[in-house]
Structures are given as structure tokens and as C-alpha cells.
Amino acid sequence: QRVLPVPAMGLVVLVGVSGSGKSTFAARHFLPTQVVSSDAYRGVVSDDENDQSATGDAFDLVHRIVGKRLRRGLLTVVDATNVQREDRGQLVRLAKEHDVPASAIVLDASDGLVRERTRLRTDRDIEPDALARQQHDLSRGRAQLDKEGFRRVHVLDADEAGTAVVELEP
Ligand code: GTP
Ligand code: MG
């Protein structure tokens, strides 16, 4: 069983393609108020969590809220794919601006498992092309991820993601 140290007062950036299990992992380990989800804010601004045209507005809100929470020294988890290096970079900068550590948790389920889960999902309809694009984006940045300014980068396969425990560290 993997034990994952995460900063008690800091930022946790979940990283993983759609269907990798980010929201499931977040719900299992963190309070609902600790989790800031891009999908939830897409819903808030458009009435449709899947409306990609709402992405810009949704991330504006995500960043604002993360900033407010970090200023108060609250553990904050970003539930978004974060497969692009620039997206992770914005979050690392936000943590630095607030003088708190950021850690990444990469949900690294195999492509086959993710495709199968995606096929079975009823809450969302994900285009195979969109999924392939995310997998490509993530694989491109994978090797350099631990040089992006995170205090720790935890990479979990599907089994580990299901059994890992989170341990808060000062
Ligand atoms: P997006 O929000 O689309 O980016 O996906 P996500 O990464 O948040 O994935 P989510 O947590 O919604 O999980 C996708 C599907 O996989 C759901 O149907 C979950 O029930 C299933 N799933 C996620 N994690 C696990 C797990 O640890 N075990 C099993 N058996 N199923 C899981
Ligand atoms: Mg999700």
C-alpha cells in the first residue's frame, strides 16, 4: 500500500486523462470543499459540465478560488486533467505566489483500462480523439514532470490509486 505525503497547507494537483479516476480519488481522500474541480465550474458558468466553450471562464474561477484558499493556508486539491505542462505551470506559480508547496499526484491508469472505463461511463461522453489527445499531451511531459517545481510527484497505477492512503505532512 502506497502512503502519499501531501502538504497539509498547500496545493495538490491531480494529473490524469479523462477517466483515469481523478474525481474518484479526490472524493475518497479529501473533503468536498478541499477539491476545486474544473468540471464543476464549467457547470456553474454554463449549466453543462461538458461544455468545452466554458473552459476559460471555469479556469478563471478555479484559479481565483485556489488563490483565496491558499492565502488562508488551506489544503486545496485541483481536480482537472492538467495534462498540459502550461496548465500545471500556472498552478505551481499560484502556489509559489502564496508561499506554499505544491505536490502532484499522477493517476496513471493504462490506456486500455481508461478506454474501457470511458466506454462504460454514463455521466459523460468522451470522444476517443479527445482522449487520445490527452494521453499524447501527458506522455509528452511525463519525463520532465519532476522538474516543474513540485515538492513531490506521486505516480500511481490503477491498483495503487485504489489502495493508496494520503498522509498530511507539515
Ligand atoms: P474526468 O472527470 O472525465 O476527467 O475523469 P476522472 O479522471 O475524474 O475519472 P472518474 O474519477 O470520474 O472515474 C472514471 C470512471 O472510472 C468512473 O466510472 C469510476 O467509477 C471509475 N473508477 C475510477 N477510479 C476507480 C477505481 O479506483 N476503481 C474502479 N474499479 N473504478 C474506478
Ligand atoms: Mg472527474
Side-chain angles (χ1 to χ4, degrees):
Q1 189 188 45
R2 294 271 305 268
V3 178
L4 313 178
V6 307
M9 284 195 276
L11 186 64
V12 176
V13 176
L14 299 181
V15 178
V17 300
S18 189
S20 59
K22 300 177 297 295
S23 302
T24 303
F25 184 90
R28 189 179 305 139
H29 296 289
F30 301 100
L31 300 172
T33 47
Q34 290 173 327
V35 181
V36 184
S37 147
S38 57
D39 288 329
Y41 286 101
R42 265 199 206 93
V44 166
V45 299
S46 74
D47 291 333
D48 177 2
E49 293 206 349
N50 297 308
D51 184 344
Q52 298 303 309
S53 77
T55 297
D57 284 338
F59 277 97
D60 273 358
L61 291 173
V62 166
H63 292 147
R64 294 270 297 176
I65 291 161
V66 167
K68 298 276 185 205
R69 288 184 55 87
L70 295 183
R71 186 154 47 175
R72 291 166 165 268
L74 297 173
L75 170 61
T76 303
V77 180
V78 178
D79 178 5
T81 57
N82 294 312
V83 289
Q84 308 231 24
R85 187 170 46 80
E86 305 82 74
D87 297 341
R88 295 188 296 270
Q90 286 190 341
L91 294 169
V92 169
R93 272 199 299 283
L94 203 46
K96 284 207 189 338
E97 281 166 22
H98 292 83
D99 248 337
V100 298
S103 287
I105 300 178
V106 183
L107 295 170
D108 193 26
S110 71
D111 290 359
L113 179 61
V114 167
R115 263 197 307 277
E116 178 62 8
R117 281 182 185 167
T118 301
R119 201 174 59 76
L120 296 172
R121 269 174 95 170
T122 49
D123 61 326
R124 188 158 305 174
D125 197 16
I126 294 142
E127 297 290 326
D129 282 359
L131 184 58
R133 225 168 11 248
Q134 292 175 12
Q135 287 168 330
H136 175 260
D137 288 343
L138 178 55
S139 66
R140 200 175 35 186
R142 272 292 293 280
Q144 302 291 317
L145 232 158
D146 52 1
K147 294 180 192 127
E148 292 183 7
F150 291 108
R151 178 198 268 186
R152 298 172 191 275
V153 177
H154 304 292
V155 181
L156 306 179
D157 66 27
D159 289 338
E160 291 171 327
T163 58
V165 294
V166 160
E167 191 174 76
L168 300 185
E169 65 177 354

